[in-house]
Amino acid sequence: MNVRLEPRTATPGWLSPAITLGAVFVALFISGAIIAVVGGDPVRSYLHILDASFGSVGVLSDTLVKATPLILTGLACALAFRMRLWNIGAEGQFLLGAWGASAVVLFPLLPAGLPGIVLIPLMMLAGMVAGGLWGLIPGVLRARLGVNEIIATLMLNYIALFWIQFWVFGPWSEGGFQQTKPFPEAAWLPRLTDLADVVPAFGGLTVHLGLLFGLVAAGLLWLFLERSRFGYEIRLIGDSPRAARYAGIDIGRRLVVVFAISGALAGLAGMSEVNGTVHRLQDHISPGYGFTAVIVAYLAKFRPGRVIVAAILFGALILAGREIQPSGVPSMIQGIILFTLIVGDVLVRYRIRIDRGAGAPVMSLPSAPPTPKAG
Amino acid sequence: MDLGLIAAAGIATGTVLLFAAIGEIFAERAGVLNLGVEGMMLMGAVGGFSVTGATGNPWIGVAAALLVGGLLGLLHGVVTIHLRADQVVSGLALTFLGTGLARVLGEGLTNTNVERLPALTIPLLADIPIVGPIVFRDQSVLVYLGFVLVPAAWFWIERTRPGLHLRAVGEAPAAADAQGIGVHRLRLAYVVFGGMLAGLAGATITLAVAPGWFGDQTVNGRGWIAIGLVIFARWNPIRAAVGAYLFAAISPFILGLQGVPTILGAQNPFLPGRSATFFLEMLPYLFVIVVVILGSRAAARRRIGAPAALGVPYVRGERGH
């Protein structure tokens, strides 16, 4: 018996989404088996995740709060991955974005008492610039010096982590704690619960304006990728760098720009997180949003719209996963999902052929050309 | 601080990077990029540690680390070689999987102690002035295994017939195939071997260098540092060894600065508890970036780059992209 992979000539439209869905279920099944082996109760764990993340309007709102940074970092990764640029540095760019936003209110540069309408856009800008610059570093290193961007972005994640720790333990520390003083209230992103006076049903809902940033960014990124010349070039580079080079596209320049935009998106995620939830900069503001973003982008097949859906699913996993024991379960599930997704991808691209019997069929040789008659 | 002791510790921690980097060199020379080193190391670390705890025998722990490392390598190999999935994504998935699974399996192992691998002093060599006590006194057996592995790996890759086949499947798989070399089989074998070495690197941490299980902090990015070293070493085991030992020897000196009250008469800004200490903590990671820049530049200048078929699945009768 011989197993072969044959490229599909035509792929039915339902196949890819069906396999993606199937991959997620297979991953949950495998994870469940592992949970059972180490002595947990997979059914109860999964029901708990479902209930603690989608069970009521209140927890659904909390899920969306966790999904917000994942949408933005997921978009950051999706954009870079679309060009086959492996930005694994969304975590660091997220942290720098949070730092940049904090710098606006923590450095005594601006007059006190600025209204939110001025302060919030300034902090968005600062977060995006800081994240974008952090993303620019691996972009320039790759474009100019051919430095592998995976290594560079990963190392920059660690450096960003210590950078944040320096500020929250040192110059910005409030009374020696590992956090800064709270931002002025004008800088807080409005939450649904703030509207409870007008719409009582919104009372207690923590969803903040950052979600809107994520949705708008997804829409803009879709327009950029699908409707602009630059976006077309990025997709071309991703699909066939050689064709792009023949078409005269300056890949190095596109690469730097994409890295900067990607970093800016992740930076905005960091700003949205500090301004929308904790209202100050502190150590451990991210439970690995930038890493989960890699899987979100992959699950979404790099499509901005689907990033939103994938981000909500993983937001639920992060929210509810905090109470699941053992504590590594959510990260393990993420790894297994990524594996089943890439194996599923193979099934989308190739048809599996199993030849039974004695090996491959023998091809008949073309008959010998007729010998020209002498004469 | 005792410079000799720090240097000796550097040799020991360098062994961790050494195993991981040489394992990756084997996989990459065969044409398969495996970015899952961090995950494989964590699984080797937790596998070696917990099996040693259960059996009381660190050698069985080492065997377990080799086994889980090899199994994860097998997974990556089958997915990328036979199923032709993207090597970058599969490697990342391996890191996520290994990290999460290691944390699940390591639950309850923190603050436990297990038997360590024995440390040995080599009789005559340890008496060599200066170098002897640093390199050959009271080092773990795995450190000596590292000393042996480096020249062996170099000799295998560069001077033997199987090594020639290894290089052939990484540089010109179609030509190797035409010569009757089983490209897929050979690649799989070296990815599994690389995984075993990564598992061993993890066990070197938990059973020899820094015994104990500290969650994903146990490996703390060293898998990625090993991948960076491979680029710096331009896929040569001996250069990788130099890089690994140097890196490991320099890091404790830098971190050792935290223990000095004054530098050149001025108060030391890097004392623990003072915030500037975080800049010291950044240095190893910054150093990796610099080292990779140097490696990439040298590779570009001398036209010695990655193995030509690195990252490209081999399909008979099809030209690579």
Side-chain angles (χ1 to χ4, degrees):
Chain A
M1 204 174 79
N2 195 11
V3 182
R4 285 185 300 135
L5 295 179
E6 250 175 30
R8 281 181 195 276
T9 40
T11 311
W14 55 266
L15 189 67
S16 172
I19 283 181
T20 302
L21 215 60
V24 172
F25 276 105
V26 170
L28 289 178
F29 183 79
I30 297 173
S31 310
I34 294 174
I35 294 173
V37 166
V38 299
D41 182 344
V43 178
R44 259 188 58 195
S45 295
Y46 287 159
L47 285 179
H48 173 81
I49 291 179
L50 216 55
D51 188 50
S53 52
F54 298 111
S56 71
V57 180
V59 292
L60 180 63
S61 154
D62 291 342
T63 295
L64 291 177
V65 170
K66 294 284 176 206
T68 298
L70 283 177
I71 294 174
L72 287 163
T73 51
L75 292 172
C77 289
L79 170 64
F81 293 178
R82 190 65 191 82
M83 194 178 156
R84 295 186 63 75
L85 209 55
W86 303 108
N87 178 12
I88 316 298
E91 184 80 3
Q93 293 143 15
F94 172 98
L95 292 174
L96 259 287
W99 178 85
S102 310
V104 172
V105 287
L106 295 175
F107 281 130
L109 295 174
L110 296 171
L114 278 177
I117 197 90
V118 180
L119 208 48
I120 289 175
L122 268 179
M123 293 174 84
M124 288 172 70
L125 189 69
M128 291 174 75
V129 168
L133 287 175
W134 203 242
L136 208 59
I137 300 172
V140 171
L141 286 179
R142 163 80 197 269
R144 287 290 163 84
L145 301 170
V147 171
N148 181 307
E149 75 274 21
I150 302 173
I151 302 286
T153 49
L154 271 158
M155 294 300 127
L156 286 169
N157 287 342
Y158 288 102
I159 295 171
L161 201 62
F162 292 122
W163 176 250
I164 297 290
Q165 289 184 342
F166 164 70
W167 288 94
V168 300
F169 281 89
W172 288 349
S173 168
E174 190 191 35
F177 292 104
Q178 308 158 21
Q179 56 183 32
T180 67
K181 63 177 198 224
F183 297 165
E185 267 186 58
W188 298 9
L189 294 179
R191 298 187 289 193
L192 276 186
T193 187
D194 299 335
L195 300 174
D197 293 342
V198 192
V199 190
F202 285 169
L205 296 188
T206 47
V207 172
H208 56 81
L209 194 64
L211 182 63
L212 196 65
F213 298 169
L215 299 179
V216 170
L220 290 177
L221 191 63
W222 180 83
L223 278 177
F224 175 71
L225 274 175
E226 303 293 329
R227 292 287 179 272
S228 79
R229 185 190 162 79
F230 198 98
Y232 167 75
E233 289 171 351
I234 287 169
R235 286 185 290 133
L236 182 62
I237 296 169
D239 292 336
S240 169
R242 193 181 292 179
R245 217 168 290 130
Y246 285 141
I249 296 173
D250 181 348
I251 295 182
R253 182 171 297 174
R254 304 293 179 281
L255 192 153
V256 171
V257 173
V258 163
F259 245 120
I261 300 175
S262 182
L265 283 167
L268 182 60
M271 176 273 174
S272 142
E273 192 65 9
V274 286
N275 286 47
T277 64
V278 280
H279 304 139
R280 54 158 49 111
L281 188 64
Q282 59 189 30
D283 202 11
H284 302 301
I285 44 170
S286 165
Y289 289 129
F291 296 111
T292 303
V294 172
I295 304 169
V296 167
Y298 210 80
L299 181 59
K301 297 265 180 329
F302 318 150
R303 308 271 182 83
R306 296 192 201 168
V307 164
I308 297 170
V309 180
I312 292 173
L313 288 178
F314 281 96
L317 188 62
I318 288 179
L319 176 75
R322 291 176 308 182
E323 301 141 26
I324 301 276
Q325 291 299 322
S327 63
V329 166
S331 133
M332 179 190 76
I333 294 180
Q334 292 179 22
I336 294 176
I337 287 182
L338 192 51
F339 251 115
T340 55
L341 279 175
I342 54 180
V343 173
D345 242 21
V346 174
L347 299 178
V348 176
R349 279 184 298 133
Y350 299 99
R351 183 189 295 277
I352 294 188
R353 272 295 169 84
I354 300 174
D355 306 326
R356 290 171 205 283
V362 181
M363 276 210 293
S364 56
L365 288 168
S367 49
T371 36
K373 275 180 187 151
Chain B
M1 49 185 169
D2 184 342
L3 297 182
L5 275 180
I6 290 180
I11 300 271
T13 49
T15 305
V16 175
L17 290 174
L18 178 83
F19 285 144
I22 288 187
E24 182 69 10
I25 287 176
F26 273 107
E28 291 195 16
R29 289 297 287 261
V32 181
L33 176 68
N34 187 350
L35 295 179
V37 180
E38 180 88 3
M40 297 189 296
M41 282 176 74
L42 272 162
M43 283 298 289
V46 76
F49 190 74
S50 65
V51 168
T52 304
T55 60
N57 185 340
W59 292 108
I60 302 180
V62 168
L66 290 169
L67 182 71
V68 291
L71 282 177
L72 289 181
L74 183 70
L75 177 63
H76 180 70
V78 169
V79 167
T80 57
I81 298 168
H82 298 280
L83 298 180
R84 300 175 212 163
D86 192 294
Q87 296 179 3
V88 171
V89 188
S90 172
L92 289 174
L94 200 58
T95 289
F96 283 117
L97 173 67
T99 309
L101 198 55
R103 278 172 58 194
V104 171
L105 296 173
E107 188 86 355
L109 288 181
T110 38
N111 300 323
T112 58
N113 277 313
V114 303
E115 193 79 10
R116 288 187 199 191
L117 284 166
L120 301 176
T121 298
I122 307 283
L124 290 168
L125 295 174
D127 299 331
I128 302 172
I130 306 173
V131 181
I134 293 175
V135 181
F136 296 112
R137 178 162 297 162
D138 256 349
Q139 294 284 17
S140 170
V141 280
L142 290 181
V143 171
Y144 300 113
L145 179 64
F147 295 161
V148 178
L149 179 67
V150 177
W154 177 83
F155 189 78
W156 180 268
I157 295 173
E158 304 291 345
R159 290 286 182 275
T160 68
R161 194 166 179 77
L164 181 68
H165 292 174
L166 159 65
R167 283 179 285 144
V169 299
E171 298 285 352
D177 191 14
Q179 294 287 320
I181 301 171
V183 176
H184 286 182
R185 202 169 40 82
L186 213 52
R187 282 187 169 178
L188 189 64
Y190 282 110
V191 175
V192 170
F193 182 62
M196 291 169 75
L197 282 182
L200 180 63
T204 307
I205 301 174
T206 48
L207 298 179
V209 173
W213 174 250
F214 310 98
D216 41 14
Q217 296 296 308
T218 312
V219 174
N220 203 17
R222 275 182 273 185
W224 297 108
I225 293 174
I227 294 171
L229 272 179
V230 172
I231 299 171
F232 164 76
R234 301 205 294 270
W235 295 269
N236 176 331
I238 294 175
R239 290 179 59 95
V242 173
Y245 290 133
L246 265 183
F247 186 85
I250 291 172
S251 309
F253 281 108
I254 294 171
L255 296 180
L257 279 179
Q258 291 172 334
V260 191
T262 56
I263 295 177
L264 305 173
Q267 202 191 9
N268 183 357
F270 300 121
L271 286 177
R274 304 184 119 243
S275 47
T277 193
F278 295 112
F279 288 103
L280 278 185
E281 309 248 10
M282 285 178 196
L283 284 178
Y285 303 101
L286 207 58
F287 187 62
V288 172
I289 296 180
V290 172
V291 146
V292 172
I293 292 174
L294 294 176
S296 309
R297 282 186 63 115
R301 199 173 52 242
R302 299 198 198 171
R303 299 187 168 275
I304 324 170
L310 183 62
V312 186
Y314 175 65
V315 184
R316 186 176 288 176
E318 215 176 73
R319 292 183 61 195
H321 318 289

